[in-house]
Amino acid sequence: MVIFVAKENGDRRVAVTPEAAKKYVDSGGSVVIESGAGEEAGYSDSSYEAAGAVVSTEKGVAGADIVISINPLDEKMVKQLSKGTIVISTQEPHANPNNIKLFLKHGITTFALEFIPRTTRAQYMDILSSQACLAGYKAVIEAAHYFDRGLPLLITSAGTIPAAKILVVGAGVAGLQAIATARRLGAIVSAFDVRADAKEQVESLGAKFVDVNSSEATNGVYATEMSEVYKRAQEDKLREVLPGQDIVITTAQIPGKKAPIVIKSDMVKLMKHGSIIIDLASKTGGNCECTVQGQITDINGVKVMAFDNILNLIAADASRLFSKNVSAFLDLLLQEMKNCNSDIAAISNDIIKETLLTYDGVPVSSRLQMSE
Ligand code: NAD
C-alpha cells in the first residue's frame, strides 16, 4: 500500500505528520511525500525520512494506492490518478465539479472528510471539529494581539485596568473554544446562539448567555435559517450589547448555506474606537457585512478582520490533529475493506458510507446526486 502526500496549495498545513507516517510505515505501508510538504507546518523532509517515508521531488501521484490531502486535489493531479486509487481529503464537490467528473471518468474512489458524521463514534475522525476548535482558540489569540489593551483585569500601583469584554456569536465548536480561551485570558465573556442547547454550554464555561427576546430557537443539533422576526429581535439585542464590547468573534454558520449576516455595516459603527471583530465565517460569506475575506478593514477605528485561513497561523497543531483524524479514518476503512474483500460499495459502516463520494465510476453519495 503506497500512500502519497502532496504539498498543499496555499495552505501551510500538511495532511500527514512524520508521527503518522511512521505509524503507516510500521504497519507495512509505504509513504511517499512531496519534498517540502511539511516545511511550513514545522515538519522537515528529514523528519519524514527519519520516520521511514520517501521524500519525492515530484508530485508523483501516479502509482499511489491512497492519496491523502487536506484540500481538494488540483485538477492536474487528479488527471494523473489511475483506476482504483483512493483519495481521502475534503472534496467540496459543489466547488469542484470538474474533479468529480474526472473521478467518475477514471474510476477513482473518493472520500470527503467534511461529510464525516458528527456522532460520538466518529468524533476522533471529525476534521471539522478538530480544525474549528483550533480556529476558535487562535481567533482569541489574534484578537488579543491586535487589541491595544490587555484582556484581564489588572490592578497596578498606577491604577486599575478593567477586563476586556468579548462577545462570541455562535457557540458551536469554534465558539465554545473561543469562549474558553477568552475566559482563561481573563476577559468578561458573553455569547449567543440560535440553538437552545447552547445556553447551558455557554454558561458551563463561565460566560453569560445573551438572550434574544424571542421564543423562536432551534432545538436540533444544527442551526437553521431563522425567521425575519427572529433576525430583527437578534439585531435589536446586538445593537444594545455591541457598544459595550471590545472584541467580537463571530462563528455563526448554517450547514450547507451561506453564513448569516448578524452584524450589519451600521452596527459596526456602534462599537468603540479600537475594538475588533474577527469573522471566522468569512469563507462562507461572513457574519459581518463589512467583512472582506483575507483582509483587515478599518471602519471608523473598528478593525474587522477575516483571515484567509486562520489555521495557517497554527499550522503545526492543525496538521497534527488533521493527521490523527485521517489516520483513525484510514484504520477504519482498511478494516472494513478487509471484512468486505475490498468491495468498498458493500461496506455498511455509516462513517464510510456517509463519506464515500465516488466508486468505480459511480456517484455513490446522495449529496453528489443533489449537486448534479
Ligand atoms: P457550525 O460551524 O455549523 O455553526 C457554528 C454555530 O453558529 C452553531 O452553534 C450554530 O447554531 C450557530 N449559528 C447559526 N446561525 C446563527 C445565528 N444567526 N446567530 C447565532 N448563532 C448562529 O457549528 P459546529 O461547530 O459545526 O457545531 C454544530 C453542532 O454540531 C453543534 O450542536 C455541536 O455541538 C454539534 N457537534 C457534535 C459533534 C459530535 O457529537 N461528535 C461534533 C461536532 C459538533
Side-chain angles (χ1 to χ4, degrees), residues 118-120 123 126 129 169-174 192-195 201 221-223 226 234 251-255 260 262:
R118 313 300 288 276
T119 56
T120 308
Q123 220 159 11
D126 183 354
S129 287
V169 177
V173 179
F192 78 88
D193 196 297
V194 291
R195 287 180 301 107
Q201 293 163 346
V221 175
Y222 291 106
M226 304 308 278
Q234 190 180 55
T251 73
Q253 302 268 12
I254 302 167
V262 284

Side-chain angles (χ1 to χ4, degrees), residues 61-327:
V61 74
D65 299 301
I66 300 175
V67 178
I68 302 178
S69 171
I70 295 177
N71 294 289
L73 299 185
D74 63 38
E75 243 182 88
K76 211 168 134 199
M77 204 189 289
V78 174
K79 283 180 178 152
Q80 296 174 36
L81 299 171
S82 42
K83 187 171 165 56
T85 307
I86 297 174
V87 177
I88 302 172
S89 71
T90 58
Q91 302 284 359
E92 299 170 21
H94 294 264
N96 298 288
N98 285 348
N99 275 7
I100 304 298
K101 279 184 200 140
L102 289 166
F103 291 147
L104 291 172
K105 187 173 165 198
H106 299 295
I108 312 299
T109 305
T110 55
F111 290 94
L113 293 170
E114 69 269 38
F115 297 147
I116 285 182
R118 313 300 288 276
T119 56
T120 308
R121 261 185 323 112
Q123 220 159 11
Y124 60 120
M125 307 171 199
D126 183 354
I127 57 136
L128 294 182
S129 287
S130 70
Q131 305 300 292
C133 178
L134 290 174
Y137 159 78
K138 197 62 181 170
V140 175
I141 302 300
E142 287 302 305
H145 172 69
Y146 280 91
F147 188 48
D148 59 8
R149 284 179 32 210
L151 295 196
L153 171 81
L154 291 171
I155 300 170
T156 77
S157 54
T160 300
I161 294 174
K165 290 196 173 144
I166 299 187
L167 172 71
V168 176
V169 177
V173 179
L176 290 174
Q177 185 53 245
I179 294 169
T181 306
R183 288 272 302 145
R184 268 183 238 127
L185 292 175
I188 297 170
V189 187
S190 53
F192 78 88
D193 196 297
V194 291
R195 287 180 301 107
D197 286 356
K199 182 175 186 338
E200 199 187 317
Q201 293 163 346
V202 166
E203 288 173 348
S204 73
L205 290 170
K208 181 172 174 270
F209 190 76
V210 177
D211 263 316
V212 169
N213 195 11
S214 164
S215 55
E216 189 187 339
T218 306
N219 282 317
V221 175
Y222 291 106
T224 47
E225 180 92 43
M226 304 308 278
S227 72
E228 286 310 313
V229 175
Y230 181 90
K231 283 183 192 164
R232 267 197 302 279
Q234 190 180 55
E235 188 179 322
D236 289 346
K237 192 68 190 179
L238 268 180
R239 286 184 188 280
E240 187 187 313
V241 300
L242 279 177
Q245 303 302 319
D246 297 299
I247 294 169
V248 177
I249 293 172
T250 69
T251 73
Q253 302 268 12
I254 302 167
K257 297 210 160 135
K258 192 176 171 297
I261 293 285
V262 284
I263 302 179
K264 294 184 175 162
S265 303
D266 66 311
M267 291 158 78
V268 176
K269 292 177 188 153
L270 297 171
M271 292 184 72
K272 288 174 282 192
H273 193 280
S275 47
I276 289 174
I277 297 174
I278 293 203
D279 192 341
L280 283 187
S282 58
K283 203 178 164 196
T284 50
N287 294 141
C288 174
E289 238 170 27
C290 302
T291 293
V292 182
Q293 171 74 341
Q295 284 188 29
I296 301 177
T297 313
D298 193 296
I299 311 283
N300 284 4
V302 178
K303 285 191 185 72
V304 181
M305 305 173 61
F307 297 93
D308 259 337
N309 181 3
I310 198 165
L311 297 165
N312 271 339
L313 305 176
I314 187 161
D317 283 337
S319 304
R320 190 193 314 238
L321 296 188
F322 188 99
S323 176
K324 286 208 163 174
N325 293 147
V326 177
S327 163

